[in-house]
Structure formats: C-alpha cells, structure tokens
Amino acid sequence: MSDDALPRIYLARHGETEWAITGQHTGLTDIPLTDRGRRNAQSLGKRLDGLKFDAVLTSPLIRARQTCDLAGFGGLAQPDPDLVEWAYGDYEGLRTVDIRKERPDWRSFRDGFPGGESIEEISARADRVVADLRAIDGNVLVFSHGHFLRFLAARWLNLPPIEARLFVLTTASLSILGYEHNRTEPAIRLWNDDRHTQE
C-alpha cells in the first residue's frame, strides 16, 4: 500500500481568541473567536477546499465549533467531548509568566495544573481519540485545541505524554497525522502549517 493510500488525520487548531492574544490559559472557558480568528478560520476552509473526509469531529467548545463552521464543515461535524482543551483548574485564565512568579521552575507538561485535569487524565483522553481515529477507515478532519492536539500527536506516535511539549501549534494551523509504509508505522506528515493565516 502506498503512503498516499493510507488514512490521514487532519488536525485544525481553532482560530485566535482574546485570551490567545494575551497568553492566558484557556481550558474550558468558552470564549469565541476574534475577528482575525474568524478570518483565519475562513482561510483554513479555503486551504481544505476540495478534500473529502470520511468523518469530521469537533470539540464542543465555541472556539472550535466556530472554526469548524467558518471553515465550511459545520454541517458534517460530530461533537466529541474528548476533544476539549486541557482543564487548567486553578491556573485557568493565568499566563505562564504570572504562574512562574509563584513557581519559577513550573513546566505545564511536566507539572500539570493544580485543581485541573492531570497529565494522566488528558493523556487517557488522547489515547481514546487515537483509538477512535484508527478505527475509521479513511481520512478524518478534527477541530480542537492547542494543548490537547499536542497530546494527541505524542500519543499517535506512542511517545510518553511529556513529549507533547515538543509539538508547538499556532492558532488556525493545520497538521496531518498519518503513517509511513503501513499502519504499524504512525508518522507526522505535516505540522503547524499556518501559511494560510498570514495577513
């Protein structure tokens, strides 16, 4: 089987929000896209134009749903609660620079978030999504969030959860998970491509 015949998982991070601009941790706080976020979601739709998907999945949070809708896939999308962002607990709405005033050595992917979802819990969610995606015999489009998609990539590759720290994502970016040679060799085919968002 050629690489091109193997299924691909297209990952779309939601567009810009006000908290993305300020650098605040946005977990389950349900805030909408900015005007620029809406424009970039539309540009993402143009980037995906002409591609066919056997399934479209979205986080139920508004910033992901708006991105999905504006990209032109709202009528096809199924909400999946496992695709929501990391629950940041006591650090919801805080910036990393503010957290490190109290905890100078704090690292999110190593230390997690007090009062929030543990690294083990978000990794287990990512594992469930990986299993669901691998059960679909075809291409899938997923709309979700920066930190969760980073865990998804790490677990797709069978890496330890802490290695999610290596997969940086910008808003409205497109990435593709897939395989090399066969389904026993998971791979990243594209990562954090945001050329369509340049203004």
Side-chain angles (χ1 to χ4, degrees), residues 1-2 6 31 62 78 82 102 121 127 130 146 157 182 186:
M1 180 178 289
S2 74
L6 292 165
I31 59 176
I62 191 169
Q78 296 296 314
D82 274 341
E102 301 293 324
E121 288 168 329
D127 286 347
V130 166
L157 298 173
N182 60 63

Side-chain angles (χ1 to χ4, degrees), residues 24-162:
Q24 293 170 265
H25 282 91
T26 317
L28 304 182
T29 301
D30 213 9
I31 59 176
L33 301 178
T34 62
D35 288 343
R36 182 175 188 271
R38 295 172 64 83
R39 289 193 304 274
N40 284 339
Q42 291 169 332
S43 296
L44 175 62
K46 291 175 185 172
R47 176 80 185 276
L48 295 168
D49 188 45
L51 295 176
K52 304 296 181 194
F53 298 100
D54 294 274
V56 178
L57 305 172
T58 185
S59 160
L61 294 173
I62 191 169
R63 57 194 185 273
R65 288 189 293 108
Q66 282 183 320
T67 303
C68 178
D69 290 344
L70 290 164
F73 294 93
L76 303 172
Q78 296 296 314
D80 183 346
D82 274 341
L83 294 175
V84 299
E85 182 58 293
W86 201 346
Y88 298 128
D90 298 343
Y91 289 174
E92 182 78 8
L94 299 182
R95 300 176 306 153
T96 297
V97 65
D98 297 323
I99 296 167
R100 288 185 178 161
K101 287 176 184 174
E102 301 293 324
R103 297 178 63 187
D105 193 41
W106 177 79
R107 299 289 183 271
S108 59
F109 291 100
R110 182 191 67 200
D111 303 322
F113 294 86
E117 187 177 22
S118 72
I119 292 168
E120 293 75 21
E121 288 168 329
I122 190 171
S123 181
R125 272 203 292 127
D127 286 347
R128 287 195 300 270
V129 173
V130 166
D132 291 344
L133 293 172
R134 289 194 170 141
I136 299 170
D137 190 22
N139 294 338
V140 183
L141 175 59
V142 175
F143 291 87
S144 188
H145 310 271
H147 276 161
F148 180 75
L149 290 174
R150 293 167 74 173
F151 277 101
L152 186 63
R155 299 306 298 143
W156 179 266
L157 298 173
N158 298 310
L159 296 175
I162 193 171

